[in-house]
Amino acid sequence: MTVLMIRPVRFGYNAQTAVNNAFQLNAAKGNVQEKALIEFDRFVEMLRDHDIDVLVVQDTEEPHTPDSIFPNNWISFHDDGTVVLYPMFAANRRLERKESVFKAINDQFIVREQIDYTENEMKGKFLEGTGSFVLDRQNKIAYACSSPRTDEALFMAFCEQMGYKPVVFEAIDSRGIPIYHTNVMMCIADEYVVICLDSIQRDDLPKVMGTLERSGKAIVPITVDQVAHFTGNMLQVVNRLGERFLIMSSSAYRALDAEQLTLLESYNRTIHSPLDTIEQNGGGSARCMMAEVFLPVNSNGLQ
């Protein structure tokens, strides 16, 4: 397993995404790009220190893409060789689909098919990848909370085309605002799921709980307050030795209580890195920064 990460060049607060991302703060103090780059490089170093395979692509100055550090929203990679491109809500995020990223992927992996939903941007319909939905790849179930970033019809089309069972629900934060991306309140790992059940609307809760229970996953509940610290924005990754790690930011780690941490570490090791600047200005955290690459490796790629 490889994770694709985009090293930022002009990272900063994006007013185009802030209109429906309640996690963003215009918290520019000093050089935001410089601070974000330090956080990014330390994060990558931590992953590589744990023998996690990371493919880093350097972003470009032009066109200006302030959120390029979050590639999981516009592209996903699947083990049958499929690459999926997604329609983005913010016009400047559509510019993240850069040739340098496609070249880096094609140099190391086999792409057998590309599914492109991006024409829906012109229709005002959006589906922002593994931010909009969270995949249980083992059981072929996809979970999505409704938001302006997640068109339900498009989500259903993705599930039908990729062979996933769709589970759609409403989820709100402590202020009653719809949660903009499912991956800030839910993380699915091999044996468990971290989820904020308190944010799910009452009528939808039995459907979500029933599906999770039937999938055999243990449930690790988190609170609405913990979601605000990006505790739901985590990702389980397998390294070159087959070891599993749950990756998160330091703010997410600090928000976990002792009982939650003990439970999570009974399944896998937890590792974390400070991402304060990226979280405050970008409204995303560790999971958003990593696009999992499950594509077959080509003869010139990584072994």
Side-chain angles (χ1 to χ4, degrees), residues 225-245:
D225 181 64
Q226 287 175 320
V227 168
H229 291 87
F230 294 98
T231 304
N233 198 239
M234 306 184 290
L235 181 67
Q236 187 187 59
V237 169
V238 181
N239 74 357
R240 289 187 178 95
L241 303 176
E243 299 168 323
R244 286 171 168 76
F245 296 89

Side-chain angles (χ1 to χ4, degrees), residues 23 134 171-174 179 181-188 192-200 205 209 212 218-235 246 248 251-264:
F23 292 81
V134 176
I172 57 174
D173 66 15
S174 59
I179 291 177
H181 275 165
T182 311
N183 75 356
V184 299
M185 53 78 65
M186 185 178 191
C187 163
I188 295 178
Y192 62 90
V193 56
V194 178
I195 185 170
C196 181
L197 298 172
D198 295 342
S199 69
I200 300 174
L205 195 54
M209 286 290 294
L212 289 172
I219 295 175
V220 182
I222 57 175
T223 66
V224 174
D225 181 64
Q226 287 175 320
V227 168
H229 291 87
F230 294 98
T231 304
N233 198 239
M234 306 184 290
L235 181 67
L246 184 62
M248 66 193 78
S251 61
Y253 180 84
R254 290 191 300 266
L256 290 167
D257 64 34
E259 184 178 352
Q260 291 168 323
L261 190 56
T262 298
L263 180 55
L264 291 171

Side-chain angles (χ1 to χ4, degrees), residues 1-242:
M1 175 182 180
T2 299
V3 292
L4 167 69
M5 299 182 67
I6 309 299
R7 191 170 187 263
V9 172
R10 297 174 64 190
F11 173 81
Y13 176 82
N14 187 354
Q16 292 187 24
T17 58
V19 295
N20 52 26
N21 180 346
F23 292 81
Q24 275 181 260
L25 298 171
N26 194 354
K29 293 180 180 178
N31 191 324
V32 171
Q33 159 62 21
E34 183 179 329
K35 291 178 179 178
L37 191 59
I38 291 170
E39 291 176 359
F40 179 91
D41 288 342
R42 287 177 177 169
F43 188 37
V44 171
E45 182 181 10
M46 178 195 73
L47 297 176
R48 288 175 169 165
D49 283 347
H50 289 86
D51 215 14
I52 294 165
D53 186 34
V54 184
L55 172 59
V56 175
V57 177
Q58 179 73 39
D59 195 16
T60 57
E61 286 275 354
E62 297 295 339
H64 180 205
T65 47
D67 280 328
S68 62
I69 202 169
F70 304 130
N72 83 305
N73 298 137
W74 67 267
I75 193 167
S76 67
F77 308 96
H78 303 266
D79 58 10
D80 63 353
T82 301
V83 172
V84 185
L85 304 180
Y86 299 96
M88 303 297 294
F89 170 80
N92 62 7
R93 292 217 62 190
R94 301 167 194 174
L95 303 175
E96 294 172 29
R97 300 188 283 258
K98 297 182 179 181
E99 186 57 37
S100 56
V101 180
F102 294 110
K103 183 179 186 306
I105 290 296
N106 286 309
D107 282 349
Q108 296 188 3
F109 300 95
I110 298 170
V111 176
R112 296 194 174 103
E113 181 181 8
Q114 180 172 285
I115 297 173
D116 190 344
Y117 295 116
T118 61
E119 65 179 15
N120 288 280
E121 290 166 346
M122 298 302 102
K123 305 173 187 176
K125 297 180 179 180
F126 314 107
L127 183 67
E128 299 194 335
T130 54
S132 280
F133 51 80
V134 176
L135 297 178
D136 178 349
R137 293 179 186 255
Q138 294 167 299
N139 295 300
K140 302 292 281 187
I141 305 169
Y143 298 83
C145 61
S146 301
S147 86
R149 309 276 192 95
T150 304
D151 183 88
E152 186 171 335
L154 270 182
F155 173 61
M156 294 297 186
F158 165 85
C159 289
E160 182 175 357
Q161 199 156 8
M162 296 299 294
Y164 280 84
K165 174 187 175 182
V167 180
V168 182
F169 57 94
E170 302 281 340
I172 57 174
D173 66 15
S174 59
R175 292 163 291 180
I177 299 172
I179 291 177
Y180 81 110
H181 275 165
T182 311
N183 75 356
V184 299
M185 53 78 65
M186 185 178 191
C187 163
I188 295 178
D190 58 342
E191 297 181 87
Y192 62 90
V193 56
V194 178
I195 185 170
C196 181
L197 298 172
D198 295 342
S199 69
I200 300 174
Q201 296 289 72
R202 184 178 301 175
D203 290 347
D204 290 332
L205 195 54
K207 172 176 59 178
V208 175
M209 286 290 294
T211 306
L212 289 172
E213 289 168 356
R214 288 190 294 274
S215 73
K217 306 279 187 188
I219 295 175
V220 182
I222 57 175
T223 66
V224 174
D225 181 64
Q226 287 175 320
V227 168
H229 291 87
F230 294 98
T231 304
N233 198 239
M234 306 184 290
L235 181 67
Q236 187 187 59
V237 169
V238 181
N239 74 357
R240 289 187 178 95
L241 303 176

